[in-house]
Amino acid sequence: MIFVKVLQAPYGDLTSCMELAKVADLLAFVVSANSLYVGDSSSPIDEFGSQCLSVFRAMGLPSTAVFIRDLPSDTKSRQELKKATVSFLSPELPEDTKFYAAETKDDLHKFMWLFKEQHLSSPHWRNQRPYVMSEEASIKPGDSIGLCTLIVSGYLRAHNLSVNQLVHVSGAGDFQLGEIDILKDPFPVSERKKIDAMDSDDNQIQIVDTFVPDPLNQEPLLVENISDPLAGEQTWPTEAEMEEAHENNKQRKLVKRLLPRGTSEYQAAWIVDDTDDEGNDSEDDNPDGAGMVIDEKDRSEYGSDGSDMDAVSHCREKFDEETIGGTEMGDDENLTNEQIQAEIKKIKESNAEDEEFPDEVETPLDVPAKKRFAKYRGLKSFRTSSWDPKESLPPEYAKIFAFDNFARTQKHVLAKTAELDRGSSKDCAQIGSYVMLHVKNVPTDVASKLCHPSRGLPVVVSGLLQHESKISVLHFSIKKHDSYEAPVKCKEHLTFNVGFRQFTARPLFSSDNINCNKHKMERFLHHGRFSIASVYAPITFPPAPLIVLKNRDGEQPAIAAVGSLKTVDPDQVILKKIVLTGYPQRVSKLKAIVRYMFHSPEDVRWFKPVELWTKHGRRGRIKETVGTHGSMKCIFNSSVQQHDTVCMSLYKRAYPKWPEQLYQI
């Protein structure tokens, strides 16, 4: 005897179909043989079916079957039509997909007989964590106001589950278990019915065993790191530290190098050395030694009352908002339809401009460039120049967790899961048992939505591996979906489906540089190639598939991108690049007078250490300022053409946006 639970996926609801596919042991697609000859399409798969198939393939398909309906009664025509349907659908489905006729009850009985003997397969990511799909779900009032206990009953799959583990309720978040009850299996595989068993009360719940968490061993529900606001306070150095610093200063004085005032040893790494004989008089144009200095303490020289520093901060914030692709759409509730359309048009124009002129920005006329681009610096080489991953981190980095060695940690965590499966722990439910999970401290409004009959979906509770409730920086390999035509902007609100989890994020896109420890930020997700999407999100151990959805007002979410989890690494450096451009006014062999890159001599002197390049492959540097309107004399390594464009690359480190709310159920 075999007991099967059949759940019908709602047609047109992509999110519900995805949630069902995550826990399905068998996916059964139904196709009409008449669809081969009806309509303009040459395939029996409609648009929504193609969309679902692409998502299921990205997530990983379990065992798959296809039911063919509307076959003719004539045996010859029946076989020919079935063969034609199989040939159409086979390229879209896994190789081991079985096709069955489903016209009569006998056909379905035959399928069930074959299904009973079939070995079922499931995606690898699903086999890493225990999970329960609810047969029943209810709410028990909790001790605190606004919180309750969510009670979920069902079969435990994939792995043993410890009562001390954290669990994730799909769409709701991560929680602790208050209790695990082992119930008598209502549908045992080898059922021997006795006469007295027929008279027993089948509706009565029979608890076989109960596990209660151990406060000493229960994993704490940590999401954000608790930072110490005094951790950055300066303490008085000891005598030993002062002696060590004195010796280090002696060693540094042995190697003398002429640097702009206030420049540290690390910042000197990106300053171009003067190798041209004509550059010996470069200091004459800059008697004060002012250069492109990043240290905050040295910027006070340009404003005695601190007002200049306020202007710098204001310009930084304004530039971050106004740079191409960096603008954020305003609150839709405060915008009219005309303003929303104008904002969408602006985003599309920015996307097209980013593809045609990547990274190019205009130097402002009303604000000095040294203030507008105060966060940026030059790099001698994007690949080889150093960039300290611990330098000037944002406040959000105090909330996240990091690993000394992520691969080693993952190996250790999976080893603990294997040890739990061997039954060495006495506080865990065994795989295949019928359990009742008591998930405590669930918000009452969230639990009510999960258990509401109109939802029509089972509640899925999955066990979390160690550390998987903590927030860190996750990096995904991602590719824009072929069916999505609208631009996908950096730091836009998107819905990420990662394994059993579904959360909102504002990803930062970057190029995937294999042989480099730095990655260049991308303002938009482009068609036809993979990028890296970095987000603040709960830690997940790979492999884990990724489906990115874009919510649309009044419509079903659209598939914006697909991909997979690559790594968890807060130290991965992502650099935002901008290119300032100027145009040669007069050219003489290796020298050229360049204008319109800057608009004041002070800006020219500030950016003098940064290397120049041209679109025709020349390399050069700024020699001196010319006039009072920002023109400058430049020297290049080869002859410069009059129609060439002179460029300067500047970089700053970029970070993802912190999500306002992870789960939106």
Side-chain angles (χ1 to χ4, degrees):
M1 181 180 292
I2 181 172
F3 295 91
V4 178
K5 184 173 183 178
V6 180
L7 295 174
Q8 182 178 356
Y11 182 84
D13 189 347
L14 179 62
T15 305
S16 297
C17 292
M18 287 174 53
E19 293 301 314
L20 291 176
K22 289 178 182 179
V23 294
D25 294 319
L26 176 75
L27 276 180
F29 297 99
V30 182
V31 62
S32 174
N34 293 333
S35 60
L36 289 172
Y37 306 104
V38 177
D40 299 331
S41 177
S42 59
S43 173
I45 307 175
D46 61 7
E47 183 179 354
F48 180 73
S50 299
Q51 199 176 35
C52 287
L53 274 175
S54 63
V55 171
F56 296 162
R57 283 195 295 264
M59 289 195 308
L61 279 166
S63 298
T64 307
V66 176
F67 293 160
I68 305 175
R69 301 292 305 273
D70 302 326
L71 290 171
S73 57
D74 180 29
T75 304
K76 184 177 180 181
S77 302
R78 182 186 183 93
Q79 293 298 328
E80 290 178 355
L81 199 54
K82 182 178 178 181
K83 186 176 180 180
T85 305
V86 172
S87 64
F88 270 114
L89 297 179
S90 294
E92 304 290 339
L93 298 170
E95 295 181 359
D96 58 348
T97 301
K98 305 294 183 182
F99 294 83
Y100 303 94
E103 289 295 326
T104 64
K105 288 185 177 181
D106 292 338
D107 293 333
L108 295 178
H109 283 306
K110 181 180 179 181
F111 161 74
M112 294 302 297
W113 182 78
L114 295 172
F115 170 65
K116 182 174 64 173
E117 305 297 330
Q118 184 179 352
H119 174 70
L120 299 177
S121 60
S122 59
H124 180 58
W125 65 267
R126 198 167 74 186
N127 292 332
Q128 282 193 330
R129 297 162 184 83
Y131 65 97
V132 173
M133 184 183 72
S134 66
E135 301 289 338
E136 295 181 9
S138 59
I139 299 174
K140 177 183 176 182
D143 298 332
S144 303
I145 300 176
L147 299 178
C148 67
T149 299
L150 178 65
I151 301 177
V152 178
S153 301
Y155 289 98
L156 180 61
R157 304 161 185 257
H159 289 280
N160 295 346
L161 176 64
S162 172
V163 72
N164 294 319
Q165 275 183 266
L166 297 177
V167 295
H168 174 77
V169 180
S170 292
D174 304 334
F175 304 96
Q176 288 181 321
L177 288 173
E179 183 181 316
I180 295 181
D181 294 328
I182 308 298
L183 306 182
K184 181 182 178 182
D185 192 346
F187 307 108
V189 177
S190 56
E191 184 177 7
R192 296 180 179 178
K193 292 187 178 182
K194 298 182 181 180
I195 298 175
D196 55 350
M198 298 293 292
D199 299 330
S200 63
D201 187 3
D202 295 333
N203 296 326
Q204 185 178 358
I205 298 177
Q206 299 184 22
I207 299 178
V208 178
D209 201 355
T210 299
F211 300 114
V212 179
D214 182 2
L216 298 178
N217 296 325
Q218 188 173 26
E219 189 169 350
L221 184 58
L222 290 178
V223 179
E224 297 180 7
N225 191 14
I226 302 174
S227 58
D228 183 5
L230 302 178
E233 290 291 323
Q234 179 67 45
T235 57
W236 191 259
T238 62
E239 293 185 3
E241 291 174 339
M242 294 178 69
E243 282 186 21
E244 184 180 356
H246 184 65
E247 293 296 326
N248 292 337
N249 287 334
K250 282 185 178 180
Q251 294 295 328
R252 289 196 186 99
K253 289 179 181 178
L254 296 177
V255 180
K256 293 185 178 180
R257 185 181 181 189
L258 201 58
L259 298 173
R261 184 173 55 189
T263 306
S264 67
E265 182 180 2
Y266 165 69
Q267 292 161 351
W270 52 265
I271 295 182
V272 182
D273 291 323
D274 287 338
T275 56
D276 199 294
D277 294 335
E278 298 182 5
N280 295 331
D281 58 345
S282 60
E283 290 300 317
D284 297 337
D285 297 331
N286 193 7
D288 296 332
M292 189 181 175
V293 182
I294 309 300
D295 286 348
E296 297 288 343
K297 61 182 179 182
D298 294 324
R299 293 200 187 105
S300 60
E301 298 173 6
Y302 300 99
S304 57
D305 59 351
S307 60
D308 197 42
M309 285 302 298
D310 295 337
V312 171
S313 177
H314 173 72
C315 292
R316 284 180 180 180
E317 295 175 359
K318 185 177 179 183
F319 176 70
D320 288 341
E321 294 175 358
E322 294 181 358
T323 304
I324 297 174
T327 58
E328 299 294 341
M329 183 178 288
D331 190 358
D332 291 343
E333 296 179 358
N334 300 327
L335 298 179
T336 63
N337 291 335
E338 291 77 10
Q339 289 174 323
I340 293 175
Q341 292 296 331
E343 190 71 29
I344 294 173
K345 182 179 179 181
K346 183 179 178 182
I347 293 174
K348 290 183 178 180
E349 290 175 353
S350 299
N351 184 31
E353 187 175 351
D354 181 61
E355 291 184 355
E356 188 175 0
F357 307 106
D359 311 317
E360 291 188 13
V361 299
E362 294 183 2
T363 306
L365 293 170
D366 56 341
V367 179
K370 68 178 182 180
K371 294 182 180 179
R372 193 66 175 270
F373 308 120
K375 286 185 177 181
Y376 291 81
R377 70 179 66 168
L379 289 178
K380 174 70 175 176
S381 169
F382 184 85
R383 188 178 66 86
T384 60
S385 297
S386 62
W387 194 293
D388 186 2
K390 305 295 185 183
E391 176 191 6
S392 302
L393 295 176
E396 289 81 7
Y397 264 55
K399 305 178 186 178
I400 66 174
F401 295 83
F403 299 101
D404 291 334
N405 188 318
F406 181 71
R408 184 176 60 194
T409 302
Q410 181 178 1
K411 184 177 179 181
H412 174 69
V413 169
L414 295 179
K416 290 182 66 176
T417 304
E419 183 180 353
L420 195 67
D421 287 341
R422 288 194 290 267
S424 58
S425 178
K426 299 179 181 180
D427 57 1
C428 66
Q430 299 296 315
I431 179 175
S433 57
Y434 194 82
V435 298
M436 179 185 290
L437 305 180
H438 297 253
V439 185
K440 64 180 183 180
N441 296 333
V442 180
T444 305
D445 56 341
V446 172
S448 300
K449 292 178 182 178
L450 289 172
C451 299
H452 200 277
S454 63
R455 186 168 181 263
L457 293 175
V459 180
V460 179
V461 180
S462 57
L464 295 178
L465 303 179
Q466 189 180 13
H467 308 301
E468 284 197 328
S469 67
K470 302 170 183 176
I471 295 281
S472 188
V473 182
L474 277 63
H475 306 281
F476 297 89
S477 180
I478 188 174
K479 184 179 180 181
K480 192 174 182 181
H481 197 265
D482 296 335
S483 64
Y484 194 77
E485 298 295 336
V488 181
K489 191 175 58 170
C490 189
K491 299 182 182 179
E492 189 175 5
H493 286 276
L494 298 171
T495 302
F496 276 49
N497 286 267
V498 183
F500 288 111
R501 277 189 164 122
Q502 183 184 83
F503 55 86
T504 58
R506 302 178 67 182
L508 181 71
F509 301 133
S510 61
S511 59
D512 189 5
N513 297 332
I514 300 176
N515 298 322
C516 182
N517 61 353
K518 294 179 286 294
H519 303 267
K520 179 180 169 295
M521 185 191 116
E522 296 178 345
R523 294 181 174 90
F524 292 89
L525 192 61
H526 298 292
H527 273 292
R529 58 185 172 91
F530 280 92
S531 299
I532 300 298
S534 304
V535 298
Y536 292 115
I539 293 169
T540 302
F541 291 104
L546 170 67
I547 308 295
V548 180
L549 301 179
K550 172 62 179 175
N551 293 324
R552 300 178 294 183
D553 293 337
E555 300 181 28
Q556 284 292 321
I559 312 169
V562 296
S564 60
L565 177 61
K566 189 173 183 181
T567 186
V568 178
D569 183 14
D571 290 339
Q572 185 164 302
V573 177
I574 301 172
L575 299 182
K576 181 178 181 180
K577 176 183 177 182
I578 61 171
V579 177
L580 307 182
T581 56
Y583 305 95
Q585 184 180 15
R586 292 195 298 272
V587 175
S588 175
K589 295 183 180 178
L590 304 182
K591 300 179 182 179
I593 303 296
V594 179
R595 60 179 179 175
Y596 301 140
M597 182 177 289
F598 303 109
H599 304 295
S600 69
E602 290 78 11
D603 288 339
V604 175
R605 286 191 284 267
W606 180 267
F607 288 96
K608 188 175 180 180
V610 185
E611 186 182 31
L612 302 175
W613 56 277
T614 73
K615 292 188 176 181
H616 288 181
R618 309 295 188 263
R619 294 281 173 177
R621 62 181 177 85
I622 300 173
K623 186 178 186 298
E624 60 187 6
T625 181
V626 177
T628 60
H629 295 286
S631 297
M632 54 191 182
K633 182 186 290 185
C634 304
I635 301 175
F636 297 90
N637 62 352
S638 183
S639 298
V640 181
Q641 302 297 323
Q642 186 74 43
H643 60 274
D644 205 349
T645 303
V646 180
C647 304
M648 176 184 289
S649 299
L650 299 175
Y651 302 88
K652 76 166 183 177
R653 188 170 176 185
Y655 303 91
K657 285 285 187 180
W658 191 267
E660 292 84 1
Q661 184 178 357
L662 272 177
Y663 307 103
Q664 292 188 344
I665 190 170

